[in-house]
Amino acid sequence: MTTTSPDDNRLFDAFGDGDERALEEAYTRWSPLVYTLALRALADVGEAEDVTQKVFVRAWRGRATFDADRGPLSAWLVGITRNCIADVHAERARRLRLEEAVAQEPPPAPDVGLDVAERLMVASELDRLDEVPRRVMHLAFYDDLTHTQIADTLGLPLGTVKSHIRRSLARLRTRLEVTE
Amino acid sequence: MTHIDEETLAIVALDDAAALPAQREHLSSCPTCSADLDELRRTVALGRSSRGVDLDRPGPEVWGRIRDELGFEPVATTPVAAETAGVAELPAAPERAAAPELPAAPERAAALRPRRRSLRLALWLPITAAAAVLGVLGGIAGSGLLRDAVGTPGQKVVSEARLEALPGWPGAKGTATLERARDGALTLVVDMRPGTGTAPAGEPLREVWLMRSDLSGLVSVGLMDGTHGTFTVPVGVDVRRFPLVDVSAEPDDGDPTHSGASIMRGTLSSPVPS
C-alpha cells in the first residue's frame, strides 16, 4: 500500500533532474525535521545547523543514489541525518579521548532512535495535512474520540470522517517506511 | 469472508472496540489483514505519542550556506533589474548601511532565538546581493520567527510578522510573510495555527487586511480559506504605510467593511530599528 502523493512524485523527479528548486522545496519541507532530530541528539544549535547543512548538501550530491521505490524522500533524508549525527558523536568521542589522559567511555548518546525520528516525522506530516483531515486526526489521536464522535463534533458525514482517517493513516504510514 | 476493507481497518486501528465479531474472527485467521492492522496500529501509536512534539527550525542563514557550499548562484535566478524595479517606489535605504550591525533585534524576536543567531545572520546579510532589497524592507531581522525561513521557492522573504491573538480569541496565533517574486510582485502569505481562531458557533469567514499602525486606514487583501492564504498585494498599496497585518472574523453578510472582530494581528518587521 504505497500511496505516494503526486506532489511527492513531482518533487522526486525534479530532485533527480537536478532542479535546484527541488532542493529548496525539500529544504522548506524537511529542514525542521532534520534540524530537530539533530538538535535533540546533539543539544547544540551550531552543530545541529551544521548537520542540517551537511544533510542537504549530501542529499543533493548523492541524489543519483536516491531510489523512490525504497522509501519516501523524507525517510532517506532521515537516514542521512542519522549518519551525520553519528559522525558528530564519533568526533566528540575522539576529541574526548584525546583530551583525557585516561581513556574513558564516551557519554551515552542521547536517544536518536528510530522512535524519535518517527514521532517527529509523524508530527511534521500531521502538520501538513489539510485543515479538515488534520482536525479529524487530532480528535482521533489526542482526544481519543471515536469516528462517530468526530463526525458529530465536526458536523461531517460519517463516511467523510472514515475516509479522512483511512487516507491520513495511509499517508502517515507511507512516510514511516524508513530506508535503512 | 473477503478481506477487511482499508477504511474499517483504519477505524479498528484507532479503536479495537469498533471491530464486529465477524471481523475479529477474520483477523484472527488472516495474516494479511492482521499484518496490515498491526502496521496501522503502530502508526496510530506513533501519532498519539507525537502529541506536543514541536519541530524547531534552523536559522535562516543555513539555507544560504547550503547554496554557497553547492555553488548555486545566489541570485542568478533573480534578475537585478527586476529587483530594482520592484523597489523603485521605496525610498532610498539609509538602513542598508546599518544592516551589518543589525543591532537590537526587536525584543520579542531576541527572546525567541539565541542571540548569536542574529549575529551570524548579520554577517551573512551583506554578502547576499539580495541584501539591498532585504535592507529596504528589512524583514529578515525577524526571520528566526518564521515557519519557513526560505519562503516559497522563487520568492524572497522581505518582511515578516508574528500574529498574536486579540481578546476573545485565546490561542489564536500565526505568521504573515511578505515575499517578493522575481518580477517584483509582492505576496502576503498568512498562516494561522491550526485549530485556533474558530468561533464556538462555527467557522467564520476570515479576511486578511493590511492596516496603518494606528488602525486609521485599512486595505483588504482577501478572504482566507482555512488556516493558510496567499494574497497578492495590489500594486500601489504601500506596505510601509500599512504595516499591520490583521485577520478578522467576518460574518457572511456581504458587508465589505471590517467586522470589527479581529482574531489576530501583528506588524510586519520594520527594516532596522532606528
Side-chain angles (χ1 to χ4, degrees), chain A residues 20 24 27-28 32 35-36 45-46 49-50 53 61 115 118-120 124 131 134-135 140-142 144 147 163 165-166 173, chain B residues 7 11 36 39 42 48-51 53 55-59 62-63 65 69 72 116-117 120 148 150 194 203 226-227:
Chain A
E20 292 176 10
E24 185 166 355
Y27 182 85
T28 304
Y35 175 71
T36 305
V45 169
E49 289 187 348
D50 287 348
Q53 180 177 347
R61 293 194 171 138
D115 192 50
E118 290 188 317
R119 249 190 299 157
L120 291 176
S124 98
E131 188 183 9
R134 189 173 52 222
R135 287 170 71 182
F141 281 163
Y142 305 151
D144 271 334
H147 58 294
S163 139
I165 289 175
R166 174 182 61 77
R173 182 180 163 187
Chain B
E7 217 149 78
I11 299 295
D36 260 358
E39 268 204 56
R42 186 165 158 275
R48 292 202 160 123
S49 72
S50 76
R51 177 170 212 169
V53 168
L55 294 176
D56 295 297
R57 287 163 202 280
V62 175
W63 173 243
R65 281 163 29 196
E69 186 172 350
F72 291 177
R116 69 191 197 83
R117 174 166 297 168
R120 268 196 286 151
D148 290 323
V150 293
E203 198 72 26
T227 55

Short mmCIF file of all heavy atoms in Angstrom, two decimals, chain A residues 20 24 27-28 32 35-36 45-46 49-50 53 61 115 118-120 124 131 134-135 140-142 144 147 163 165-166 173, chain B residues 7 11 36 39 42 48-51 53 55-59 62-63 65 69 72 116-117 120 148 150 194 203 226-227:
data_model
loop_
_atom_site.label_atom_id
_atom_site.label_comp_id
_atom_site.label_asym_id
_atom_site.label_seq_id
_atom_site.Cartn_x
_atom_site.Cartn_y
_atom_site.Cartn_z
N GLU A 20 17.44 22.82 -8.95
CA GLU A 20 17.80 23.41 -7.66
C GLU A 20 16.58 23.76 -6.81
O GLU A 20 16.62 23.71 -5.59
CB GLU A 20 18.64 24.68 -7.87
CG GLU A 20 20.00 24.38 -8.46
CD GLU A 20 20.79 25.64 -8.77
OE1 GLU A 20 20.36 26.73 -8.36
OE2 GLU A 20 21.84 25.51 -9.42
N GLU A 24 15.43 23.24 -2.79
CA GLU A 24 14.88 24.30 -1.95
C GLU A 24 13.54 23.88 -1.35
O GLU A 24 13.26 24.12 -0.19
CB GLU A 24 14.71 25.58 -2.79
CG GLU A 24 14.26 26.77 -1.97
CD GLU A 24 14.41 28.09 -2.71
OE1 GLU A 24 14.96 28.10 -3.83
OE2 GLU A 24 13.97 29.11 -2.15
N TYR A 27 14.09 21.33 1.23
CA TYR A 27 14.62 22.00 2.43
C TYR A 27 13.48 22.67 3.20
O TYR A 27 13.39 22.56 4.42
CB TYR A 27 15.67 23.04 2.02
CG TYR A 27 16.28 23.75 3.21
CD1 TYR A 27 17.36 23.19 3.88
CD2 TYR A 27 15.77 24.96 3.67
CE1 TYR A 27 17.92 23.81 4.98
CE2 TYR A 27 16.31 25.59 4.77
CZ TYR A 27 17.39 25.02 5.42
OH TYR A 27 17.92 25.64 6.52
N THR A 28 12.61 23.34 2.46
CA THR A 28 11.48 24.00 3.12
C THR A 28 10.64 22.99 3.89
O THR A 28 10.23 23.23 5.01
CB THR A 28 10.60 24.70 2.06
OG1 THR A 28 11.42 25.59 1.32
CG2 THR A 28 9.48 25.48 2.72
N PRO A 32 12.99 21.40 9.10
CA PRO A 32 12.65 21.35 10.52
C PRO A 32 12.80 19.93 11.10
O PRO A 32 13.27 19.77 12.22
CB PRO A 32 11.19 21.80 10.56
CG PRO A 32 11.01 22.61 9.34
CD PRO A 32 11.87 21.95 8.29
N TYR A 35 16.60 19.23 11.30
CA TYR A 35 17.22 20.09 12.32
C TYR A 35 16.79 19.67 13.74
O TYR A 35 17.61 19.60 14.65
CB TYR A 35 16.84 21.54 12.05
CG TYR A 35 17.30 22.52 13.10
CD1 TYR A 35 18.66 22.84 13.22
CD2 TYR A 35 16.41 23.11 13.98
CE1 TYR A 35 19.10 23.73 14.18
CE2 TYR A 35 16.84 24.00 14.94
CZ TYR A 35 18.18 24.31 15.04
OH TYR A 35 18.61 25.21 15.99
N THR A 36 15.50 19.36 13.90
CA THR A 36 15.02 18.98 15.22
C THR A 36 15.65 17.68 15.68
O THR A 36 16.04 17.53 16.84
CB THR A 36 13.48 18.85 15.21
OG1 THR A 36 12.93 20.08 14.74
CG2 THR A 36 12.94 18.57 16.60
N VAL A 45 22.92 24.13 19.09
CA VAL A 45 22.32 24.79 17.93
C VAL A 45 23.30 24.82 16.74
O VAL A 45 22.94 24.50 15.61
CB VAL A 45 21.87 26.22 18.29
CG1 VAL A 45 21.50 27.01 17.05
CG2 VAL A 45 20.68 26.17 19.25
N GLY A 46 24.54 25.20 17.04
CA GLY A 46 25.52 25.31 15.96
C GLY A 46 25.76 23.98 15.27
O GLY A 46 25.78 23.90 14.04
N GLU A 49 22.81 22.91 13.24
CA GLU A 49 22.74 23.63 11.96
C GLU A 49 23.77 23.08 10.98
O GLU A 49 23.49 22.95 9.78
CB GLU A 49 22.93 25.13 12.19
CG GLU A 49 21.72 25.74 12.88
CD GLU A 49 21.77 27.26 12.99
OE1 GLU A 49 22.84 27.85 12.75
OE2 GLU A 49 20.73 27.85 13.34
N ASP A 50 24.95 22.76 11.51
CA ASP A 50 25.96 22.17 10.63
C ASP A 50 25.48 20.84 10.05
O ASP A 50 25.68 20.56 8.87
CB ASP A 50 27.27 21.95 11.41
CG ASP A 50 27.99 23.26 11.67
OD1 ASP A 50 27.61 24.27 11.06
OD2 ASP A 50 28.93 23.27 12.49
N GLN A 53 23.00 21.45 7.36
CA GLN A 53 23.69 21.84 6.13
C GLN A 53 24.27 20.61 5.43
O GLN A 53 24.07 20.41 4.23
CB GLN A 53 24.81 22.82 6.48
CG GLN A 53 25.60 23.32 5.29
CD GLN A 53 26.66 24.35 5.69
OE1 GLN A 53 26.64 24.85 6.80
NE2 GLN A 53 27.58 24.64 4.79
N ARG A 61 24.22 16.02 -3.47
CA ARG A 61 25.33 15.41 -4.21
C ARG A 61 25.06 13.93 -4.46
O ARG A 61 25.54 13.38 -5.44
CB ARG A 61 26.63 15.59 -3.43
CG ARG A 61 27.04 17.07 -3.38
CD ARG A 61 28.47 17.26 -2.92
NE ARG A 61 28.85 18.66 -3.09
CZ ARG A 61 29.56 19.35 -2.21
NH1 ARG A 61 29.97 18.77 -1.09
NH2 ARG A 61 29.86 20.62 -2.44
N ASP A 115 12.45 5.64 16.95
CA ASP A 115 11.19 6.07 17.51
C ASP A 115 11.07 7.59 17.53
O ASP A 115 10.04 8.13 17.16
CB ASP A 115 11.08 5.50 18.92
CG ASP A 115 9.67 5.66 19.45
OD1 ASP A 115 8.75 5.28 18.72
OD2 ASP A 115 9.52 6.19 20.55
N GLU A 118 10.68 8.82 14.05
CA GLU A 118 9.34 8.54 13.51
C GLU A 118 8.29 9.45 14.13
O GLU A 118 7.37 9.89 13.46
CB GLU A 118 8.99 7.07 13.75
CG GLU A 118 9.84 6.16 12.88
CD GLU A 118 9.40 4.72 12.96
OE1 GLU A 118 9.12 4.26 14.08
OE2 GLU A 118 9.34 4.07 11.91
N ARG A 119 8.45 9.69 15.42
CA ARG A 119 7.47 10.58 16.05
C ARG A 119 7.55 11.98 15.46
O ARG A 119 6.54 12.63 15.19
CB ARG A 119 7.71 10.64 17.56
CG ARG A 119 6.60 9.95 18.31
CD ARG A 119 6.71 10.22 19.77
NE ARG A 119 7.97 9.72 20.30
CZ ARG A 119 8.52 10.18 21.41
NH1 ARG A 119 7.94 11.15 22.08
NH2 ARG A 119 9.65 9.69 21.85
N LEU A 120 8.77 12.44 15.24
CA LEU A 120 8.93 13.76 14.62
C LEU A 120 8.36 13.77 13.21
O LEU A 120 7.74 14.72 12.78
CB LEU A 120 10.42 14.15 14.60
CG LEU A 120 11.06 14.44 15.95
CD1 LEU A 120 12.55 14.71 15.77
CD2 LEU A 120 10.40 15.64 16.60
N SER A 124 5.39 16.07 11.87
CA SER A 124 5.54 17.01 10.76
C SER A 124 4.52 16.70 9.65
O SER A 124 4.02 17.59 8.99
CB SER A 124 6.98 17.05 10.27
OG SER A 124 7.17 16.26 9.14
N GLU A 131 -6.67 21.25 6.50
CA GLU A 131 -7.26 21.58 7.78
C GLU A 131 -8.26 20.53 8.30
O GLU A 131 -8.18 20.10 9.44
CB GLU A 131 -7.95 22.95 7.72
CG GLU A 131 -8.38 23.37 9.11
CD GLU A 131 -9.13 24.69 9.13
OE1 GLU A 131 -9.46 25.19 8.05
OE2 GLU A 131 -9.39 25.18 10.23
N ARG A 134 -6.73 17.25 9.23
CA ARG A 134 -5.87 17.46 10.39
C ARG A 134 -6.70 17.51 11.68
O ARG A 134 -6.34 16.93 12.69
CB ARG A 134 -5.07 18.75 10.22
CG ARG A 134 -3.99 18.93 11.29
CD ARG A 134 -3.13 20.13 10.99
NE ARG A 134 -3.95 21.30 10.78
CZ ARG A 134 -3.74 22.21 9.83
NH1 ARG A 134 -2.73 22.09 9.01
NH2 ARG A 134 -4.53 23.24 9.70
N ARG A 135 -7.84 18.18 11.59
CA ARG A 135 -8.69 18.25 12.78
C ARG A 135 -9.25 16.88 13.12
O ARG A 135 -9.35 16.51 14.28
CB ARG A 135 -9.81 19.27 12.57
CG ARG A 135 -9.25 20.69 12.63
CD ARG A 135 -10.25 21.71 12.18
NE ARG A 135 -11.35 21.88 13.14
CZ ARG A 135 -12.36 22.72 12.92
NH1 ARG A 135 -12.41 23.40 11.81
NH2 ARG A 135 -13.29 22.84 13.81
N ALA A 140 -8.98 12.25 16.76
CA ALA A 140 -8.83 10.80 16.89
C ALA A 140 -7.62 10.45 17.76
O ALA A 140 -7.68 9.57 18.61
CB ALA A 140 -8.68 10.16 15.52
N PHE A 141 -6.53 11.16 17.53
CA PHE A 141 -5.29 10.84 18.24
C PHE A 141 -5.27 11.40 19.65
O PHE A 141 -4.98 10.71 20.61
CB PHE A 141 -4.08 11.40 17.49
CG PHE A 141 -3.66 10.58 16.29
CD1 PHE A 141 -2.83 11.14 15.33
CD2 PHE A 141 -4.06 9.27 16.14
CE1 PHE A 141 -2.41 10.40 14.24
CE2 PHE A 141 -3.66 8.53 15.05
CZ PHE A 141 -2.83 9.09 14.10
N TYR A 142 -5.54 12.68 19.74
CA TYR A 142 -5.27 13.36 21.01
C TYR A 142 -6.49 13.40 21.92
O TYR A 142 -6.37 13.45 23.13
CB TYR A 142 -4.78 14.78 20.76
CG TYR A 142 -3.57 14.86 19.85
CD1 TYR A 142 -3.35 15.96 19.04
CD2 TYR A 142 -2.65 13.81 19.78
CE1 TYR A 142 -2.25 16.04 18.20
CE2 TYR A 142 -1.55 13.87 18.95
CZ TYR A 142 -1.35 14.99 18.15
OH TYR A 142 -0.27 15.07 17.32
N ASP A 144 -8.96 11.14 21.59
CA ASP A 144 -9.49 9.79 21.67
C ASP A 144 -10.97 9.69 21.33
O ASP A 144 -11.69 8.90 21.92
CB ASP A 144 -9.25 9.20 23.07
CG ASP A 144 -7.90 8.51 23.13
OD1 ASP A 144 -7.41 8.07 22.07
OD2 ASP A 144 -7.33 8.43 24.22
N HIS A 147 -14.83 7.54 15.63
CA HIS A 147 -15.17 8.20 14.37
C HIS A 147 -16.58 8.79 14.39
O HIS A 147 -16.84 9.81 13.77
CB HIS A 147 -14.96 7.25 13.19
CG HIS A 147 -15.74 5.98 13.26
ND1 HIS A 147 -15.52 5.03 14.23
CD2 HIS A 147 -16.75 5.50 12.50
CE1 HIS A 147 -16.36 4.02 14.05
NE2 HIS A 147 -17.11 4.29 13.01
N SER A 163 -13.21 8.26 5.64
CA SER A 163 -12.30 8.36 4.51
C SER A 163 -11.09 9.24 4.84
O SER A 163 -9.96 8.94 4.45
CB SER A 163 -13.09 8.83 3.30
OG SER A 163 -12.38 9.76 2.56
N ILE A 165 -9.80 9.47 7.81
CA ILE A 165 -8.97 8.65 8.70
C ILE A 165 -8.16 7.65 7.87
O ILE A 165 -6.96 7.49 8.07
CB ILE A 165 -9.84 7.93 9.75
CG1 ILE A 165 -10.38 8.95 10.76
CG2 ILE A 165 -9.05 6.83 10.45
CD1 ILE A 165 -11.35 8.38 11.77
N ARG A 166 -8.85 6.99 6.94
CA ARG A 166 -8.14 5.99 6.13
C ARG A 166 -6.99 6.64 5.36
O ARG A 166 -5.86 6.18 5.39
CB ARG A 166 -9.09 5.32 5.13
CG ARG A 166 -8.38 4.38 4.16
CD ARG A 166 -9.33 3.77 3.16
NE ARG A 166 -9.99 4.75 2.29
CZ ARG A 166 -9.42 5.36 1.26
NH1 ARG A 166 -8.17 5.11 0.96
NH2 ARG A 166 -10.10 6.23 0.54
N ARG A 173 1.55 6.29 7.38
CA ARG A 173 2.22 5.00 7.34
C ARG A 173 3.26 4.97 6.23
O ARG A 173 4.36 4.45 6.40
CB ARG A 173 1.15 3.94 7.12
CG ARG A 173 1.65 2.54 7.10
CD ARG A 173 0.46 1.63 6.89
NE ARG A 173 0.87 0.30 6.47
CZ ARG A 173 0.00 -0.62 6.08
NH1 ARG A 173 -1.29 -0.36 6.07
NH2 ARG A 173 0.43 -1.80 5.72
N GLU B 7 -10.79 1.04 5.08
CA GLU B 7 -11.45 2.02 5.95
C GLU B 7 -11.73 1.42 7.32
O GLU B 7 -11.46 2.02 8.35
CB GLU B 7 -12.74 2.48 5.28
CG GLU B 7 -13.02 3.93 5.50
CD GLU B 7 -13.78 4.51 4.33
OE1 GLU B 7 -14.99 4.27 4.26
OE2 GLU B 7 -13.15 5.18 3.49
N ILE B 11 -10.24 2.29 11.12
CA ILE B 11 -11.07 2.59 12.29
C ILE B 11 -10.73 1.65 13.45
O ILE B 11 -10.61 2.07 14.60
CB ILE B 11 -12.58 2.45 11.93
CG1 ILE B 11 -12.96 3.43 10.82
CG2 ILE B 11 -13.46 2.65 13.15
CD1 ILE B 11 -12.87 4.89 11.18
N ASP B 36 -1.61 -5.91 8.24
CA ASP B 36 -2.00 -4.54 7.89
C ASP B 36 -2.44 -3.78 9.13
O ASP B 36 -2.05 -2.62 9.36
CB ASP B 36 -3.16 -4.58 6.89
CG ASP B 36 -2.68 -4.36 5.47
OD1 ASP B 36 -1.46 -4.15 5.30
OD2 ASP B 36 -3.51 -4.41 4.55
N GLU B 39 0.40 -2.76 11.41
CA GLU B 39 1.14 -1.57 10.94
C GLU B 39 0.35 -0.30 11.18
O GLU B 39 0.92 0.73 11.54
CB GLU B 39 1.43 -1.71 9.44
CG GLU B 39 2.77 -2.37 9.17
CD GLU B 39 3.29 -1.98 7.81
OE1 GLU B 39 3.41 -0.77 7.55
OE2 GLU B 39 3.54 -2.90 7.00
N ARG B 42 0.56 0.62 14.77
CA ARG B 42 1.85 1.22 15.09
C ARG B 42 1.83 2.70 14.67
O ARG B 42 2.32 3.57 15.39
CB ARG B 42 2.94 0.46 14.36
CG ARG B 42 4.33 0.89 14.71
CD ARG B 42 5.37 -0.10 14.25
NE ARG B 42 6.65 0.58 14.15
CZ ARG B 42 7.04 1.25 13.08
NH1 ARG B 42 6.26 1.32 12.02
NH2 ARG B 42 8.21 1.85 13.08
N ARG B 48 -0.29 9.14 18.26
CA ARG B 48 -0.71 9.55 19.60
C ARG B 48 0.46 10.07 20.41
O ARG B 48 0.33 11.01 21.17
CB ARG B 48 -1.39 8.37 20.32
CG ARG B 48 -2.70 7.99 19.67
CD ARG B 48 -3.64 7.24 20.60
NE ARG B 48 -5.01 7.35 20.10
CZ ARG B 48 -5.78 6.30 19.80
NH1 ARG B 48 -5.34 5.08 19.99
NH2 ARG B 48 -6.99 6.51 19.33
N SER B 49 1.61 9.43 20.23
CA SER B 49 2.76 9.85 21.04
C SER B 49 3.41 11.09 20.48
O SER B 49 4.35 11.64 21.07
CB SER B 49 3.78 8.72 21.14
OG SER B 49 4.44 8.57 19.91
N SER B 50 2.94 11.55 19.32
CA SER B 50 3.55 12.76 18.76
C SER B 50 2.88 14.02 19.31
O SER B 50 3.23 15.13 18.93
CB SER B 50 3.44 12.75 17.23
OG SER B 50 2.13 13.05 16.84
N ARG B 51 1.93 13.84 20.19
CA ARG B 51 1.26 15.00 20.77
C ARG B 51 2.27 15.91 21.45
O ARG B 51 3.11 15.46 22.22
CB ARG B 51 0.22 14.55 21.79
CG ARG B 51 -0.43 15.74 22.46
CD ARG B 51 -1.61 15.34 23.29
NE ARG B 51 -2.58 16.42 23.25
CZ ARG B 51 -3.80 16.33 23.70
NH1 ARG B 51 -4.23 15.22 24.21
NH2 ARG B 51 -4.61 17.35 23.63
N VAL B 53 4.72 17.32 20.25
CA VAL B 53 6.05 17.34 19.65
C VAL B 53 6.14 18.59 18.76
O VAL B 53 5.35 18.77 17.85
CB VAL B 53 6.30 16.09 18.79
CG1 VAL B 53 7.55 16.25 17.95
CG2 VAL B 53 6.41 14.87 19.68
N LEU B 55 8.46 20.93 16.23
CA LEU B 55 9.67 20.93 15.42
C LEU B 55 10.34 22.29 15.50
O LEU B 55 9.67 23.32 15.44
CB LEU B 55 9.31 20.61 13.96
CG LEU B 55 8.76 19.21 13.71
CD1 LEU B 55 8.37 19.05 12.25
CD2 LEU B 55 9.77 18.15 14.09
N ASP B 56 11.63 22.27 15.66
CA ASP B 56 12.39 23.52 15.62
C ASP B 56 12.82 23.78 14.19
O ASP B 56 12.82 22.88 13.37
CB ASP B 56 13.63 23.40 16.51
CG ASP B 56 13.24 23.24 17.96
OD1 ASP B 56 12.63 24.17 18.50
OD2 ASP B 56 13.53 22.18 18.55
N ARG B 57 13.20 25.00 13.94
CA ARG B 57 13.64 25.35 12.60
C ARG B 57 15.06 25.90 12.62
O ARG B 57 15.39 26.66 13.51
CB ARG B 57 12.69 26.36 11.97
CG ARG B 57 11.41 25.68 11.61
CD ARG B 57 10.26 26.58 11.37
NE ARG B 57 9.04 25.79 11.55
CZ ARG B 57 8.55 24.98 10.62
NH1 ARG B 57 9.13 24.89 9.46
NH2 ARG B 57 7.47 24.28 10.87
N PRO B 58 15.84 25.50 11.65
CA PRO B 58 17.21 26.02 11.61
C PRO B 58 17.19 27.52 11.30
O PRO B 58 16.22 28.02 10.75
CB PRO B 58 17.86 25.24 10.48
CG PRO B 58 16.73 24.79 9.61
CD PRO B 58 15.55 24.61 10.50
N GLY B 59 18.25 28.18 11.68
CA GLY B 59 18.35 29.61 11.41
C GLY B 59 18.27 29.89 9.92
O GLY B 59 18.60 29.04 9.10
N VAL B 62 21.12 29.09 7.28
CA VAL B 62 21.58 27.74 6.92
C VAL B 62 21.34 27.47 5.44
O VAL B 62 22.20 26.92 4.75
CB VAL B 62 20.90 26.67 7.80
CG1 VAL B 62 21.29 25.27 7.34
CG2 VAL B 62 21.29 26.87 9.26
N TRP B 63 20.19 27.88 4.95
CA TRP B 63 19.92 27.66 3.52
C TRP B 63 20.94 28.38 2.66
O TRP B 63 21.42 27.86 1.64
CB TRP B 63 18.49 28.09 3.18
CG TRP B 63 18.19 28.03 1.71
CD1 TRP B 63 17.86 29.08 0.91
CD2 TRP B 63 18.23 26.87 0.88
NE1 TRP B 63 17.68 28.64 -0.37
CE2 TRP B 63 17.91 27.29 -0.44
CE3 TRP B 63 18.52 25.53 1.10
CZ2 TRP B 63 17.86 26.41 -1.52
CZ3 TRP B 63 18.48 24.64 0.02
CH2 TRP B 63 18.14 25.09 -1.27
N ARG B 65 24.00 28.96 3.42
CA ARG B 65 25.26 28.22 3.49
C ARG B 65 25.22 27.00 2.58
O ARG B 65 26.21 26.63 1.95
CB ARG B 65 25.56 27.82 4.94
CG ARG B 65 26.13 28.99 5.72
CD ARG B 65 26.08 28.88 7.23
NE ARG B 65 26.13 27.52 7.77
CZ ARG B 65 25.79 27.24 9.02
NH1 ARG B 65 25.42 28.19 9.85
NH2 ARG B 65 25.86 26.01 9.46
N GLU B 69 27.72 26.32 -0.43
CA GLU B 69 28.56 25.12 -0.50
C GLU B 69 28.34 24.38 -1.81
O GLU B 69 29.26 23.80 -2.37
CB GLU B 69 28.28 24.20 0.70
CG GLU B 69 29.25 23.02 0.73
CD GLU B 69 29.14 22.18 1.99
OE1 GLU B 69 28.45 22.60 2.95
OE2 GLU B 69 29.76 21.09 2.01
N PHE B 72 25.48 27.04 -5.86
CA PHE B 72 24.33 27.60 -6.56
C PHE B 72 24.56 29.09 -6.67
O PHE B 72 25.07 29.72 -5.75
CB PHE B 72 23.03 27.37 -5.77
CG PHE B 72 22.58 25.95 -5.71
CD1 PHE B 72 21.45 25.61 -4.99
CD2 PHE B 72 23.27 24.94 -6.37
CE1 PHE B 72 21.01 24.29 -4.92
CE2 PHE B 72 22.84 23.62 -6.31
CZ PHE B 72 21.71 23.30 -5.58
N ARG B 116 23.15 34.64 19.30
CA ARG B 116 24.22 34.52 18.32
C ARG B 116 23.68 34.26 16.91
O ARG B 116 24.33 34.50 15.93
CB ARG B 116 25.23 33.45 18.71
CG ARG B 116 24.71 32.04 18.66
CD ARG B 116 25.73 31.14 19.33
NE ARG B 116 25.50 29.76 18.98
CZ ARG B 116 25.94 29.21 17.87
NH1 ARG B 116 26.63 29.91 17.03
NH2 ARG B 116 25.69 27.97 17.60
N ARG B 117 22.46 33.77 16.84
CA ARG B 117 21.89 33.57 15.52
C ARG B 117 21.77 34.90 14.80
O ARG B 117 22.09 35.02 13.64
CB ARG B 117 20.53 32.89 15.63
CG ARG B 117 19.85 32.79 14.29
CD ARG B 117 18.71 31.85 14.34
NE ARG B 117 19.16 30.50 14.63
CZ ARG B 117 18.36 29.51 14.95
NH1 ARG B 117 17.09 29.73 15.07
NH2 ARG B 117 18.84 28.32 15.19
N ARG B 120 25.17 36.00 13.63
CA ARG B 120 25.66 35.33 12.44
C ARG B 120 24.88 35.78 11.21
O ARG B 120 25.41 35.91 10.14
CB ARG B 120 25.57 33.82 12.60
CG ARG B 120 26.86 33.27 13.15
CD ARG B 120 26.91 31.81 12.95
NE ARG B 120 26.02 31.18 13.89
CZ ARG B 120 25.43 30.03 13.64
NH1 ARG B 120 25.62 29.42 12.51
NH2 ARG B 120 24.64 29.49 14.53
N ASP B 148 8.81 28.97 7.75
CA ASP B 148 9.72 28.53 6.70
C ASP B 148 10.63 29.68 6.33
O ASP B 148 10.22 30.61 5.66
CB ASP B 148 8.95 28.10 5.45
CG ASP B 148 8.19 26.81 5.71
OD1 ASP B 148 8.72 25.95 6.41
OD2 ASP B 148 7.09 26.70 5.22
N VAL B 150 12.90 30.02 4.28
CA VAL B 150 13.22 30.27 2.89
C VAL B 150 12.00 30.69 2.09
O VAL B 150 12.12 31.08 0.95
CB VAL B 150 13.85 29.04 2.21
CG1 VAL B 150 15.20 28.76 2.81
CG2 VAL B 150 12.96 27.83 2.35
N PRO B 194 -3.19 25.90 13.29
CA PRO B 194 -4.39 25.11 13.09
C PRO B 194 -5.23 25.02 14.37
O PRO B 194 -4.69 24.98 15.46
CB PRO B 194 -3.85 23.72 12.76
CG PRO B 194 -2.43 23.90 12.41
CD PRO B 194 -1.96 25.17 13.02
N GLU B 203 -17.67 28.14 11.88
CA GLU B 203 -16.49 28.59 11.18
C GLU B 203 -16.78 29.97 10.57
O GLU B 203 -17.57 30.06 9.64
CB GLU B 203 -16.19 27.57 10.09
CG GLU B 203 -14.81 27.63 9.55
CD GLU B 203 -13.77 27.11 10.52
OE1 GLU B 203 -14.11 26.30 11.38
OE2 GLU B 203 -12.63 27.58 10.42
N GLY B 226 -9.60 28.41 5.18
CA GLY B 226 -8.89 27.57 6.15
C GLY B 226 -7.89 28.39 6.94
O GLY B 226 -8.17 29.52 7.33
N THR B 227 -6.71 27.83 7.15
CA THR B 227 -5.75 28.49 8.03
C THR B 227 -4.53 28.99 7.26
O THR B 227 -3.53 29.34 7.86
CB THR B 227 -5.26 27.53 9.12
OG1 THR B 227 -4.76 26.37 8.49
CG2 THR B 227 -6.40 27.15 10.05
#
